[in-house]
Amino acid sequence: MQDMSAGAIAEQPANDLHTGWTKQVVGYVAILILVNVMVDTVLASPTFVLPELSRAFHTKQFAWIDSSAMLAGATWAPLLGKSADIHGKRRVLVLTLIVAGLGGIVCLVAPHISIFVLGRVLQGAAVAALFLTVAIIRDICAPKFSMVVTGIVTSGSAVFGIVSPFILEWATDEFGWKFVFVVSAVFAGVAAFFVRLFIPNSRIRTPGKIDVAGALTLGGGLACVLAYISLGQDFGWLGAPLASLVVGAAALLTWYFLLSRIPEPVIDIRGISVVLGLGLLVVVMGTGAYRSMLQLFSLLIDVSPDEGLGYGIAGPGALGLMFGIPSIGIMLGGVIAGQIAARIGPAWPLAAGLALGTTASFVMFTVGADNLAIAVTCSFMLSLTAGSLVTSGFNLASVLAPPERQGTVSSMVMVMVAVGSVTLSFTGSAILGANEIVHDGDTVNSSAGVHAYIAMAGCAFIFAAVPMLLLLKKMRNYVASEVPVELTYEGVEHANG
């Protein structure tokens, strides 16, 4: 698509865009995959040691331990997406890597849960690193080729994920949970060095200003609402946490009716086309369901089926099997989704991923909660779902957004990933907490709670099918190299103008 912004500043001719594989492109892809390996160490690796972290900080609020970085990422993403369009994607990516590295160090030395969560908030900057790698690809590759490259970059880090659970299982036994955050900080530093040294500057920049107040109000509102969901189970739904819900709702309403209407809001929700909006709905529910299941798997691994609780998949190598082998699925899902998108568009691989996730949730609910082999199979299917949903979500956004808004629009996808992940993870935590039982003198999760948790994730996949069907209908005439103008930002602006 052509640049429609009068204020956009082109720094590199569009005909310099790469249309195929060269040594230079391979080098760029390798560096961007390294960045996303760091993102995985921030978002996925802590789930391997959730029970150890809960014991270390004497808390049952494991959802905060796991999801605080993703929640912070929902606040970071719009700010950094807009900043990338204005100041350059490489510069902002380096900044996010440095901040995420500092967050890993804070988590490493944290003496208390509050300091640890602060470190996770800083690590949340890594969430922006993922969508910035996608925006950079769109900046240096031709549109059709960029879909293929996006699939490789967003899922290529899964190669590291194949072996990392086995390594981390041994390393955490030897050195404790802190080893996870040492790895994260090291990867952040190395990635920042290579990005600054080899990744080219942005081809297009767009003058503008950054709505910091809007981002903080939106992020703060989400945090307060989710705090209510997390804390209500312990302190009562009509008790002290109710104030958090009221404050959060007020902040979200203030943002929607006031701050979202300013000339340059942090998220321009009125500029989102119907097609992009449908895609974002699918992403928020689908990725949220997958991430919440990832959290549940970590808890199931800590329980032996011999305990007779009706769930539990602990056993030799369970951690590596549940999180290592399925990493192949993430890689395959992303790469295949990118290849298909380049031919018939991103909507169909998005739908395929959703169907796989629904099937896996059903199997897990019926027979997989206490069977390691079936659970590994379901985890593999869900990882195919994850690779397909994330890659297709970014590809959908990239073809619908003009060049000068790639950072901003890609950040919307990441916000949806973060909001879905955090919302369903906290909701799942509340479901488990509401169904706890006493077993051999200890308070543990019940089989009813675990199965209700899986049912919640399955319902999210099912509900996502509604916008998915509408999206397929809207994009039935899509051609990979061309998007009808009425489906794009320019089409919305033209209709409103």
Side-chain angles (χ1 to χ4, degrees), residues 224 294 450 460 471 480:
C224 288
L294 195 67
V450 168
L471 177 62

Side-chain angles (χ1 to χ4, degrees), residues 346-414:
W348 286 105
L350 192 66
L354 204 60
L356 271 174
T358 305
T359 303
S361 298
F362 175 77
V363 174
M364 192 70 190
F365 178 83
T366 53
V367 293
D370 60 353
N371 187 300
L372 179 59
I374 294 176
V376 169
T377 302
C378 292
S379 182
F380 180 77
M381 295 171 65
L382 286 166
S383 65
L384 285 170
T385 295
S388 179
L389 290 182
V390 173
T391 296
S392 301
F394 280 123
N395 276 333
L396 180 67
S398 69
V399 299
L400 295 176
E404 72 277 3
R405 291 179 179 171
Q406 284 297 315
T408 300
V409 177
S410 294
S411 75
M412 292 183 190
V413 178
M414 205 62 237

Side-chain angles (χ1 to χ4, degrees), residues 44 52 89 107 118 125 135 163 166 173 234 262 293 301 303 322 339-340 342 359 387 409-410 424 438 455 463 495:
E52 291 85 350
K89 300 175 184 66
C107 291
L118 174 61
V163 298
F166 297 96
D173 286 342
D234 290 331
I262 66 175
M293 288 295 290
I301 289 171
V303 177
M322 287 298 296
Q339 294 285 347
I340 294 175
T359 303
V409 177
S410 294
L424 291 189
V438 176
F463 291 153

Side-chain angles (χ1 to χ4, degrees), residues 54-75:
S54 296
R55 288 190 287 268
F57 292 110
H58 308 291
T59 179
K60 292 184 178 180
Q61 296 297 329
F62 57 84
W64 277 108
I65 294 174
D66 178 41
S67 299
S68 49
M70 188 69 85
L71 176 59
T75 303

Side-chain angles (χ1 to χ4, degrees), residues 34-52:
L34 176 63
V35 171
N36 288 330
V37 168
M38 186 280 302
V39 177
D40 287 346
T41 65
V42 169
L43 300 182
S45 294
T47 62
F48 302 161
V49 292
L50 272 183
E52 291 85 350

Side-chain angles (χ1 to χ4, degrees), residues 5-43:
S5 173
I9 302 171
E11 297 188 342
Q12 177 185 348
N15 57 11
D16 284 352
L17 296 176
H18 296 278
T19 58
W21 292 105
T22 64
K23 290 182 179 179
Q24 192 176 34
V25 172
V26 171
Y28 294 154
V29 168
I31 293 171
L32 296 178
I33 287 176
L34 176 63
V35 171
N36 288 330
V37 168
M38 186 280 302
V39 177
D40 287 346
T41 65
V42 169
L43 300 182

